Amino acid sequence: MNTLLTQVPPPHTVPVHPAARQLLDRVAADPGAPLRLAVVAPGGYGKSVLLAALDRRYREAGVDAVLVDDADRLGADQLEDLLAGADGPIVVAHRPAAVAPGWTLLQLGPLGVEDVALLMEFRTGEPADPAAAAELHARSGGVPRLAERALLGRLEEFRPELDELDDDVLRYLIAAEAGAGRNLDLLCALLDRGPDQLPAIVEGARATGLLAPDDTLLPLAAAAVRDFGPPARRLTTVQRLVELQLANGLPVLDLARSLLGTGSTGASAAAAFAAAAGEALPSDARLATRLFEAAAEAGDRSPAVTAGWARAAALSGDLDTALRLADGMLGAADADTRTAGAEIAATVLAHRGELARSAELYHWAGRADAFSATALVGTGDIDGARRLLDSPAPGVAPTLFAGAASRMARGIVDSVSGCATETLSTLLGAAAMLEPALGGTLLPDSPAALAGLAALHTGELALAESVLTRALKSGIGGDLLAARHRLLLGWVAMTAGDLATAAEHRDAVAGRPLEARDELFFATLELGLARRASDLVGLQRSWNRAYQASMRQQTDLFTLLPLGELAIAAARTGAFAKLSGQFERAHGLLARLGEPPLWTVSLVWHELHAAITLEDADAAEAHLATLTTHAHCGRHPRALATAAQGWLAVLGGTFDPDTISAAAAELHDLGLRWDAARLAGQAAIRTSDRKAMVQLLEAARQFQGTAARRDPGTTEPAGGTGLAALSERELEVARLVVDGLTYKQAGSKLFISGKTVEHHMARIRGKLGAADRRELLATLRELLSRPDAP
C-alpha cells in the first residue's frame, strides 16, 4: 500500500536530478530491496516529483511501499504511527533537518546547466538551446521549481505559497529582496529578535528553496517576492527598513529603489526618496530624477528637493523638466533657491545654443562667473569676460570644481589672445582637475569638450581624442554631456579621415533627442561623412537637417567648425547664399575678438574650399590671404596656408608636383589624412606629366591607406595593392568604365544591372583609396595602361 501525503505531480513529470535518477534505476532493478530512505532538500528541489516517480515504480512492480512527503509538517507521534508495521520500502521526504539513526540520507542539491537543459526538453518537448539553458540556470540557481515555473510563465503560483509563510520568514525574504538580507543589525531591529534568534529564521528562509548558497535571494525568487508577495506586508516591511536606516544615518538607496512605484507617501517615504536621490545623483542621474520626483509626490516640495530634481533632470538630458522647475525657482523668496534656479536655467540655455542669455543668468546667480565668462567669450564679449575673471564674486569656496571652472574660463579667454600657445595646455589641465571633482555636477560645457574643440582647431587630433575619450569614460557631465563628447570624437575621427570610426560615434548618438548645439554637430557630422564619401544623395539629404539645425543655434565661437562644414556642403548643393547671414555674424564675432588665429584659421580653411567649389577666385584669394596672415602662429596654420596656396596652384594648372607632395605630406603629418590624400589626388588628375601623375597618385593612396581610412560600407581588399586588390569581375567592370561606357552600358555587356556596376565601382574606389570619381578614373587609367596590367 503506497501512501502519499501531497498531491501527486502529473505523470509526465520526470525527475532530472542525477541522484534522483540513480535511485529510480536502483528501484527499477530491485524494487523489493529493503529501503529506509530520507530525501532531504529545501522546497522546490524535486522531492515530490521523486516520490511520485517512486510511487509509479513500486505500483508497477506490485511492491507495497510507504512514501511520505512533507514529513517535516508531521509531529513525531504522527509520523511514527504512519510508519508503524511497515515492512516494505520506506521513503520519507522533508525539508532540511536532522536525520534519525538508521536512515539512508539522499540530499537533492541544485541542478547543473545540463540538468536544466534536460528539464527544458522534458517540459517543452524540444531540444534546449545551450545559451537559454545557461541563462535559465543563472536566474533560477538550478532550483527545479523556479526553473520550471519561469519556463512555463507561472511565477504567480508563488502567491499562495508566500501568503502561507511564517511572518518572520516572509519579512526576512522581503528584506533580502530589498537588499538588507546581509545586514544582521538591521534584520534584528526589523524582526525584533536577538542575534541568537536570527539563525532559526534564516533556516526557515533557506527551507523555502528561494535562497542561494550565500543566503541571497535567487534572481527569479527575488522577482517572485517582489511581484507576488503580500503587497501590504512588503510595503510596511520596506518602510520600516528605511526608517531604521535613516535613523542611523545609513545609506537608503537600495531600499528606497524598491519603494518606487508602490505609491508610498508620507514624511518617512519622502525623506527616504530624497536621501536616496542624493546618493544616486553622482552615478545615475536618471534614477536620481525618479527618486526626487517620488519625494515630491510623497509630499516633500521643499526647495532642496525641487533643486535636486531639476539638476538630476538636466544631467539625465531631460532639459524640458529641468527648465520648467528652474524657472519656477527663479521667483522664490529664498535667495539660495533663486540662485540654484538661475544656474540650472543657464546650463540648459547653454545646451540650447543661447549663450548670451546663459551668460546673463550665470552672472545674475553670482556664483558661476567662470561659466558666465566662458559664455561671454563665446558671444564675442571678451572685455566682459575679463572683468568677471579679474573681479571674482566674493564668498565662493575655492573647491577643486571652482578651480577647474576658473581655469577653463581663463583658457578660453587666452584662446583669443595672440597665437594662444598656452590655451590647449590650460584646458587640458582644467579637464584633468575636474575628473575627481565631478560627483553629479551640472555643466554648461566641459573643459574636455572645449579642449577637444581647441585641439580640433589647432590640428592636435591625438590630444583631442585622448581628452574626449577620458571624459566619456568617466561620465563627466552625465548623460547631458555624453552626447557632446561622443559627437566631438566623431568630428576628430572625421577630420583625421577615419570615416568608419566617425560613423560609429555618429551611430552611437543617432535616435537620441538632441538639443540645438548637439543637433548641429550631429547633422554636420553626417554632412561631412557624406561629402567625404562622395555620396551626393546623402549630402543632399543631410543638408536640410544640418541647415535647419544651424538656424536654431545662435552663431557662437564654439560652433564655427560645423559652420565651416556647412559652407562646403552648401557650395556643392547650390545653397551657399542661404548662409550669408550666418557667415556675416561669425566674422563679426571674430572681428570683435580681434580675429584670433586659433578660431579663425579652420573656418577660413573651410571657406576656401567652398570658394574653390563655387569657382570664386576672388573669394579664394581673400581666404588664402587670411590664412597667410596667421601662418606665423604655428605648424597647423602654416600647413593650412601652404596647402591653400597649393590648391589654388593646382586649380590654376601651374604647380610644382614636389611642392604639392610636400604640402600634402605636411597635412598628413598633422593627422589631416583625408585632406592630404585629396590634395595629392586632385593634383594627379590635373597634371600632364605622366611621371608626376604616378608619383602624386601613389602619395594619395599612401596618405589614405596609412590611416586605414575607408568609407563606411566599403570592404577591405583581400590582399595585394593596386589592381591586385581587385577581383576578376571588378577588373572587367573597371575596363569597361575606363573605356567610356556608362554603368548601364557596362552592365548590359556583363549581363548585370547598372546598379550592380555602381556597387562594383564603389568597392573599387574603396580598395584603391580614391577620394572621388575623377580621381578613381585617373587611377584606373594609369594602372590599366601599365605593361604588367592583367
Side-chain angles (χ1 to χ4, degrees):
M1 176 95 184
N2 294 43
T3 304
L4 284 166
L5 298 186
T6 58
Q7 182 178 357
V8 179
H12 64 272
T13 301
V14 179
V16 294
H17 196 285
R21 296 202 300 271
Q22 290 172 9
L23 173 63
L24 289 172
D25 291 341
R26 284 169 45 202
V27 170
D30 187 6
L35 183 66
R36 194 175 181 84
L37 178 70
V39 180
V40 178
Y45 276 67
K47 300 186 300 295
S48 297
V49 173
L50 174 58
L51 288 185
L54 286 170
D55 180 61
R56 288 193 293 274
R57 290 279 196 280
Y58 284 124
R59 286 182 185 276
E60 291 168 358
V63 174
D64 287 334
V66 177
L67 308 176
V68 182
D69 199 0
D70 292 327
D72 49 287
R73 297 185 178 183
L74 301 175
D77 293 341
Q78 240 183 321
L79 183 59
E80 186 175 346
D81 291 343
L82 188 63
L83 300 180
D87 55 3
I90 302 174
V91 181
V92 176
H94 57 78
R95 296 190 175 188
V99 176
W103 287 77
T104 300
L105 173 64
L106 175 62
Q107 285 188 311
L108 297 180
L111 303 178
V113 176
E114 292 182 357
D115 299 321
V116 170
L118 184 62
L119 175 66
M120 294 171 69
E121 184 175 343
F122 285 159
R123 298 302 279 150
T124 64
E126 298 178 356
D129 175 65
E135 190 269 342
L136 182 58
H137 180 269
R139 292 169 59 212
S140 66
V143 177
R145 179 174 58 181
L146 281 172
E148 189 168 19
R149 287 183 177 176
L151 185 64
L152 301 177
R154 298 194 326 221
L155 285 180
E156 72 279 359
E157 292 179 5
F158 279 106
R159 192 187 306 277
E161 295 175 13
L162 292 169
D163 284 341
E164 293 174 4
L165 285 178
D166 174 79
D167 188 61
D168 283 343
V169 170
L170 177 61
R171 286 195 292 164
Y172 174 87
L173 293 175
I174 293 171
E177 187 275 324
R182 305 178 73 84
N183 189 326
L184 298 183
D185 292 337
L186 190 58
L187 288 171
C188 287
L190 169 71
L191 301 172
D192 194 24
R193 296 288 189 274
D196 57 329
Q197 297 171 302
L198 197 59
I201 298 173
V202 176
E203 285 297 333
R206 289 172 182 157
T208 65
L210 301 179
L211 298 185
D214 62 353
D215 288 339
T216 60
L217 271 176
L218 293 164
L220 281 170
V225 171
R226 180 176 60 252
D227 298 335
F228 304 112
R233 174 50 89 193
R234 180 174 182 273
L235 183 60
T236 57
T237 299
V238 176
Q239 284 185 329
R240 177 57 180 156
L241 287 170
V242 167
E243 291 170 0
L244 291 168
Q245 286 290 85
L246 285 174
N248 290 293
L250 298 173
V252 295
L253 177 56
D254 289 340
L255 295 172
R257 193 200 314 255
S258 67
L259 283 176
L260 283 172
T262 62
S264 298
T265 59
S268 63
F273 286 133
E279 294 175 34
L281 189 59
S283 58
D284 191 341
R286 293 180 186 274
L287 176 59
T289 301
R290 293 176 59 203
L291 289 164
F292 275 123
E293 184 176 7
E297 291 176 349
D300 188 348
R301 303 300 175 91
S302 66
V305 165
T306 302
W309 184 5
R311 186 172 289 106
L315 279 167
S316 64
D318 182 4
L319 297 194
D320 288 338
T321 296
L323 193 58
R324 173 177 58 81
L325 294 170
D327 192 58
M329 294 164 64
L330 291 174
D334 178 61
D336 287 340
T337 302
R338 292 196 303 272
T339 295
E343 291 178 349
I344 294 167
T347 301
V348 172
L349 291 173
H351 285 267
R352 292 190 163 171
E354 298 284 350
L355 279 190
R357 177 63 174 152
S358 175
E360 180 183 347
L361 280 168
Y362 272 128
H363 183 56
W364 184 78
R367 292 194 314 212
D369 283 347
F371 293 146
S372 181
T374 301
L376 287 174
V377 177
T379 61
D381 186 0
I382 184 62
D383 292 334
R386 285 175 176 149
R387 281 195 300 271
L388 282 178
L389 293 182
D390 291 342
S391 304
V396 177
T399 62
L400 196 60
F401 172 75
S406 177
R407 190 167 180 176
M408 177 183 76
R410 293 200 176 276
I412 293 300
V413 168
D414 291 344
S415 73
V416 299
S417 304
C419 290
T421 55
E422 298 299 321
T423 292
L424 191 52
S425 176
T426 302
L427 291 173
L428 290 171
M433 286 178 66
L434 188 60
E435 286 181 17
L438 180 60
T441 303
L442 188 59
L443 298 167
D445 210 344
S446 72
L450 293 174
L453 272 176
L456 275 164
H457 276 275
T458 55
E460 294 284 359
L461 301 185
L463 285 175
E465 182 179 17
S466 174
V467 69
L468 289 166
T469 299
R470 288 183 62 178
L472 189 64
K473 287 182 178 179
S474 60
I476 287 178
D479 290 345
L480 184 59
L481 278 171
R484 178 149 173 79
H485 295 145
R486 175 76 71 179
L487 288 168
L488 286 173
L489 278 168
W491 265 83
V492 172
M494 182 178 72
T495 303
D498 187 354
L499 305 190
T501 298
E504 288 174 5
H505 288 302
R506 175 204 60 193
D507 294 344
V509 177
R512 295 173 52 177
L514 299 174
E515 296 302 328
R517 182 174 65 190
D518 290 340
E519 170 67 12
L520 177 61
F521 274 87
F522 178 88
T524 51
L525 177 60
E526 279 201 319
L527 198 65
L529 288 172
R531 176 172 72 87
R532 287 163 176 79
S534 298
D535 178 4
L536 296 181
V537 175
L539 189 74
Q540 185 63 56
R541 183 176 60 247
S542 301
W543 154 257
N544 291 324
R545 178 175 180 175
Y547 174 69
Q548 291 175 24
S550 73
M551 294 299 291
R552 289 192 294 270
Q553 165 75 41
Q554 298 295 314
T555 302
D556 63 53
L557 191 65
F558 311 127
T559 55
L560 297 181
L561 279 177
L563 184 59
E565 188 59 48
L566 199 62
I568 301 176
R572 295 192 66 176
T573 57
F576 190 76
K578 298 177 72 171
L579 298 178
S580 59
Q582 296 187 50
F583 276 99
E584 183 178 339
R585 289 189 291 274
H587 283 289
L589 167 67
L590 291 170
R592 291 195 301 275
L593 294 171
E595 302 289 347
L598 187 149
W599 302 101
T600 303
V601 166
S602 291
L603 177 63
V604 175
W605 170 254
H606 284 85
E607 288 180 292
L608 170 80
H609 285 278
I612 290 172
T613 302
L614 294 169
E615 298 182 358
D616 186 343
D618 291 339
E621 289 289 350
H623 296 319
L624 172 59
T626 301
L627 291 171
T628 303
T629 299
H630 297 302
H632 67 283
C633 275
R635 184 183 177 190
H636 180 256
R638 184 170 60 250
L640 295 188
T642 302
Q645 191 171 18
W647 265 108
L648 296 189
V650 166
L651 297 175
T654 55
F655 62 90
D656 174 25
D658 291 335
T659 301
I660 298 300
S661 293
E666 185 70 11
L667 291 176
H668 176 271
D669 290 346
L670 283 169
L672 305 177
R673 300 178 179 90
W674 189 86
D675 292 272
R678 183 161 175 76
L679 175 57
Q682 290 297 311
I685 64 177
R686 285 174 169 81
T687 181
S688 57
D689 184 331
R690 181 176 178 80
K691 181 179 178 181
M693 181 183 71
V694 173
Q695 170 192 334
L696 288 165
L697 281 175
E698 184 61 31
R701 282 193 292 273
Q702 288 179 355
F703 294 153
Q704 190 130 347
T706 300
R709 312 306 190 198
R710 300 195 177 271
D711 299 345
T714 62
T715 56
E716 296 288 341
T721 60
L723 295 180
L726 306 185
S727 68
E728 184 176 345
R729 175 52 65 121
E730 287 168 347
L731 280 170
E732 292 175 335
V733 168
R735 286 194 180 93
L736 292 174
V737 174
V738 166
D739 287 343
L741 274 67
T742 66
Y743 290 166
K744 184 176 181 179
Q745 292 168 337
S748 296
K749 282 187 172 291
L750 297 172
F751 302 101
I752 58 177
S753 70
K755 195 68 176 175
T756 301
V757 173
E758 182 181 353
H759 290 322
H760 280 305
M761 291 298 290
R763 285 196 294 271
I764 293 169
R765 185 165 68 85
K767 290 180 177 182
L768 298 182
D772 54 26
R773 177 179 167 80
R774 284 199 301 175
E775 183 179 325
L776 173 61
L777 291 176
T779 302
L780 286 172
R781 288 191 188 98
E782 190 274 327
L783 292 173
L784 290 170
S785 66
R786 291 179 178 176
D788 60 344

